[in-house]
Amino acid sequence: HMGLAKVALANLYAPAPSTTRGESTSLSATPKGDFLVYGAGKLVVIRSVANPIQATLYAQHQSAVTAVAVSPNGEWIASGDERGTVRVWANQPEQTLKLETLAFGGKVLDIAWSGDGQRLCAVGEGQQMFGKVFTWDSGNTVGAIENHSKRIITCAFKPTRPFRIATGSDDLCINWYEGPPFKYNTTMREHTRYPNCVRFSPDGTQLVSVGSDMKIVTYDSVSGAKVADISCDDMHTGAIFSCAWSPDSKLLLTASADKSVKLWSMGLGQPQHTILVAERPEVGDMQVGCCWSGPTVCSLSLSGRLNLIDPTTGKIVCSLIGHIKGITALAVNKGAEGATFATASFDGSVGVWDANAGTCAMVGGKGHANGIVALAFLSNGILASAALDRTVRFVPTQTGLYNDAATVELDGSVCGMSAVGELLAVVSEKSVYVLSQGSLKAQAEVGFRASSVAFSPSGAEVAVGGQEGEVATFAFAGGKLAKQGSTKRHQGEVTAMAYSPSGSHLGSCDAARGVFAWELPAFAPVSTSWSAHKAKVTALAWSPSGQLLVTGSVDSSVVLWSLEQPDENVVVRLAHADGVTAVGFLGEDLVLSAGQDACVKTWSISK
C-alpha cells in the first residue's frame, strides 16, 4: 500500500562552499581531520573527507553563512551569517543549540575559539563595532575588540596561556589584545594591502599574517613583536587569502589568487612544495581558503572545488566537487552501467555524478552563456543541455567536454526538452522542434505560448504544455510534426510533463499546484484531486515501472503519487530549502531531488 510507504533520506550530494572573488572564504575541519565544515548559502555543510556521499547539513541560519569554526574538542560548531548572528551548536545528529547571539550588525567574516574551548572571538562588518569576544555558552562579553577604523576580516586566538587575540582589518592594521578580559595592547603595521588572514601556530609560539600584498610575516606570540618577513625568490605572485599551520607548527599552508597553494617550511623560510591546481588555470582556480587538521590538508578554489593535498608529496590527492548555485535541471542516465545522473546549476555549470560513489565531474569546454533549462541523456549516453541562449549542446560521456560541432541553434529560447532514443523534443515559447546531434529534424508552430514538452517513448508523439494551461499533442512521423489537437487542461502554466515508460499515461503539473496523470489516448485523469503541494509545482518524473509519479515544488516538498492508489500520497516536507527544482528516479525505490539550495538528495521508498 502507498499509504504504508515510508520515504527516508538515503544520500546527500553536498553543495560546494560559497565563495566570493577577491575575498578569503572561511573553512574549518574537525580535530581528527575526518570532516570538513563550511558554509553553502544558508546551510552549514559537514562533509566526510573519506566518503563524499557522507554529509550532513545544518539549516538553522536565516541568511547566508559566512564563517565557521569547529571547537578544539570537535564537539561544537560555531557558525556566523551575513546578518551578524553567531550560533553555537552540537556537532551530533540532534544539533542542539547552545548559544545564539548577535555579535554585531553586519556580516561575520571570521570566528576563532580559545584553546580551552570556553571563549569565542567573532569579527566582521559592523556599524560601530567590528568584533566581539564572548563566552561560548552564555554569550557574555569578555573584553573589547577596539581600535580598528574599518571592518575586521580575520581573527585568531592564541591556543596556549597567556591568552592573546590577534585581528586583521581593512584598515591594514593587525591589532593585539591581552586578557581575559581582553583589551587592546598594540598595533602592527606590516602590510601595505589587506591582511587577509592571521593564525597562531598550534604550539602557541608564533603568529603569522598573510595579505593581499603577497607578504608573509611572523610575530612573537606573547609580545606581538615582529620576528620576520618571509622573503625568497619563490613567493606568491598574487594576493594571499588564507593560511593554515601544520599540527606540529613546522609547516605553513598558504592559498593565493595566483591559483597556487604553497607549503612552507617555516624554519627555512622556503616553500617545500608549490601546488598548481590546474594545468591551464582559470579564474575559478584562484585559491581563496584553506585548512589543516590532523592528516587533512585542504585548499578551496573560487569555483568551490575542495582540493585535498598530500603534504609529503605536495600533490592533490582528490577533489570534492559540487554546485555553488541553485540547481536548475536534472537528468538520469537510464542506460548507464552504474547509476549516473547529471545536474545543471544557475551559473551554467554542469556536473555528471556517480550516484554510488558520490563523486562529480564538471563538464568542460565552452558551455552555455546563461541559464540551463533542461538536461537529457540520449540512449547512447551522450548528455544534451538546453538553455536560454537558444542552443542545445551535446557532451559525449567519454570526453566530458562540450562537442561544439554538434551544437544546434534554434530561433527561440528553450523552455523544455525531452529525449527518446537519440532524438530530442524541444520547445521554445512559439515552436516545437525535433532534433538530434548537430541537426534539426522537424519544427512546427505551437499556436500558444509554450512552457513544457514531453516525448512519447515510441517517438511517435510529442506533448506540449502552455503558459495558460493548454496541452497539445503533435504526431511525429516521416520527419514532420503535425498538430493533433489542443485542450486547456490546467488552471495555470504547465510547468513540467512526462510520458510514463510504457506510454500509457502522460504526467503533467502546473503553477496552480495541480498534478495530473492522464490515461491515454482518452486523456482521462486518474484523479482530479491531486493537490498536496502548497505552491507552484516545478518538476515531475515517473518510476521505471510507471506506477509511481514524483513531483517537486516551490513549497520545498517532494510528493509521491501512485496510479494503483490514486487517493494516497506521501509528502516529504522541507526536502530542499527555498524550493525543489528537479526530480527523478534512480530506481523503482530511489527518488532523486535537487533544489535552490544547490543540494542533490536521494530518498529511499520502503513499504
Side-chain angles (χ1 to χ4, degrees):
H1 269 302
M2 186 71 178
L4 302 176
K6 286 190 175 54
V7 177
L9 179 68
N11 284 327
L12 165 68
Y13 303 85
S18 301
T19 60
T20 307
R21 189 167 176 183
E23 289 192 11
S24 170
T25 299
S26 179
L27 181 64
S28 189
T30 49
K32 290 186 191 138
D34 45 357
F35 287 90
L36 292 169
V37 179
Y38 56 83
K42 295 178 191 171
L43 303 168
V44 179
V45 179
I46 306 164
R47 190 166 183 177
S48 161
V49 170
N51 179 9
I53 226 164
Q54 189 188 342
T56 37
L57 301 175
Y58 180 75
Q60 302 304 313
H61 281 276
Q62 300 305 305
S63 59
V65 174
T66 48
V68 290
V70 181
S71 68
N73 65 7
E75 289 173 20
W76 301 90
I77 293 172
S79 49
D81 63 31
E82 62 184 7
R83 290 188 191 157
T85 300
V86 174
R87 296 177 73 96
V88 181
W89 43 281
N91 181 19
Q92 34 85 324
E94 291 76 45
Q95 298 181 333
T96 315
L97 182 69
K98 187 72 172 181
L99 174 71
E100 181 178 32
T101 183
L102 188 68
F104 33 80
K107 191 189 290 187
V108 180
L109 293 173
D110 202 4
I111 299 173
W113 287 84
S114 61
D116 57 6
Q118 297 303 299
R119 297 172 191 88
L120 282 158
C121 179
V123 299
E125 303 177 351
Q127 260 63 58
Q128 282 78 41
M129 202 167 69
F130 307 112
K132 184 177 176 179
V133 54
F134 51 93
T135 54
W136 81 289
D137 51 357
S138 65
N140 294 336
T141 302
V142 278
I145 304 296
E146 310 174 307
N147 290 25
H148 278 302
S149 60
K150 292 183 178 167
R151 67 176 194 164
I152 303 175
I153 50 182
T154 179
C155 66
F157 229 118
K158 183 166 167 277
T160 54
R161 293 177 190 276
F163 287 142
R164 300 284 186 265
I165 291 174
T167 56
S169 160
D170 279 4
D171 64 13
L172 309 187
C173 296
I174 289 171
N175 283 2
W176 202 254
Y177 306 83
E178 296 188 357
F182 291 89
K183 49 186 189 294
Y184 169 78
N185 179 297
T186 181
T187 294
M188 287 81 79
R189 287 185 180 83
E190 294 297 332
H191 289 278
T192 54
R193 290 174 64 202
Y194 301 144
N196 293 313
C197 189
V198 292
R199 294 292 180 257
F200 282 98
S201 58
D203 65 8
T205 61
Q206 51 186 329
L207 175 81
V208 68
S209 66
V210 298
S212 293
D213 53 7
M214 306 175 262
K215 281 175 75 168
I216 302 173
V217 186
T218 58
Y219 312 82
D220 177 85
S221 73
V222 180
S223 68
K226 175 173 141 180
V227 174
D229 254 324
I230 290 189
S231 65
C232 63
D233 51 13
D234 193 12
M235 301 296 288
H236 281 295
T237 56
I240 306 173
F241 287 122
S242 180
C243 66
W245 289 92
S246 62
D248 66 4
S249 302
K250 289 183 177 154
L251 302 171
L252 185 76
L253 179 72
T254 54
S256 166
D258 67 11
K259 307 171 185 73
S260 79
V261 179
K262 288 183 188 284
L263 266 169
W264 300 80
S265 160
M266 292 308 274
L268 299 171
Q270 295 272 352
Q272 282 188 355
H273 297 292
T274 297
I275 302 138
L276 275 169
V277 292
E279 285 177 31
R280 287 194 289 279
E282 296 170 13
V283 171
D285 297 313
M286 287 183 177
Q287 298 302 290
V288 295
C290 65
C291 69
W292 192 327
S293 197
T296 298
V297 184
C298 183
S299 80
L300 170 62
S301 302
L302 181 62
S303 66
R305 182 183 293 249
L306 290 157
N307 311 296
L308 295 167
I309 295 162
D310 178 345
T312 47
T313 62
K315 297 267 188 290
I316 294 175
V317 185
C318 74
S319 296
L320 298 178
I321 297 169
H323 288 293
I324 291 192
K325 297 274 189 276
I327 291 167
T328 56
L330 166 73
V332 176
N333 187 358
K334 296 186 174 70
E337 295 290 311
T340 310
F341 63 88
T343 48
S345 145
F346 194 70
D347 57 14
S349 62
V350 176
V352 179
W353 301 77
D354 177 324
N356 300 320
T359 50
C360 172
M362 288 291 173
V363 170
K366 188 172 162 12
H368 293 281
N370 54 15
I372 296 176
V373 174
L375 295 173
F377 279 99
L378 305 181
S379 56
N380 55 13
I382 286 172
L383 175 66
S385 61
L388 299 174
D389 64 5
R390 302 185 168 208
T391 64
V392 176
R393 295 173 190 268
F394 296 88
V395 182
T397 7
Q398 300 80 7
T399 65
L401 298 170
Y402 279 105
N403 172 12
D404 294 340
T407 300
V408 177
E409 298 201 13
L410 302 172
D411 54 11
S413 285
V414 177
C415 46
M417 178 168 71
S418 174
V420 169
E422 293 184 20
L423 293 176
L424 292 164
V426 176
V427 70
S428 67
E429 199 171 81
K430 292 182 179 154
S431 304
V432 56
Y433 316 83
V434 173
L435 52 94
S436 66
Q437 281 193 87
S439 74
L440 184 60
K441 305 279 186 204
Q443 180 173 351
E445 290 284 311
V446 175
F448 52 83
R449 289 188 304 151
S451 56
S452 54
V453 69
F455 211 158
S456 72
S458 66
E461 188 174 78
V462 176
V464 177
Q467 292 179 20
E468 308 294 326
E470 310 91 339
V471 175
T473 55
F474 290 77
F476 177 61
K480 288 197 167 54
L481 280 161
K483 195 168 182 178
Q484 292 171 307
S486 162
T487 311
K488 185 167 158 49
R489 301 190 185 277
H490 287 265
Q491 295 305 305
E493 177 181 338
V494 184
T495 49
M497 314 171 84
Y499 284 88
S500 65
S502 69
S504 63
H505 291 77
L506 176 70
S508 60
C509 57
D510 63 46
R513 310 194 299 277
V515 177
F516 292 93
W518 310 97
E519 201 173 322
L520 301 175
F523 265 96
V526 170
S527 169
T528 52
S529 58
W530 277 6
S531 57
H533 287 294
K534 308 270 190 296
K536 175 181 182 174
V537 188
T538 52
L540 138 165
W542 290 93
S543 69
S545 72
Q547 287 306 311
L548 299 177
L549 190 65
V550 66
T551 52
S553 161
V554 170
D555 68 8
S556 297
S557 66
V558 167
V559 178
L560 210 53
W561 314 86
S562 161
L563 291 191
E564 287 173 355
Q565 279 130 330
D567 302 337
E568 309 271 348
N569 63 49
V570 179
V571 180
V572 180
R573 302 206 182 282
L574 297 177
H576 294 273
D578 298 331
V580 181
T581 53
V583 291
F585 275 90
L586 276 174
E588 190 59 33
D589 45 17
L590 199 58
V591 169
L592 193 57
S593 66
Q596 295 284 8
D597 57 6
C599 296
V600 183
K601 296 179 181 182
T602 52
W603 309 87
S604 59
I605 305 168
S606 54
K607 294 289 184 278

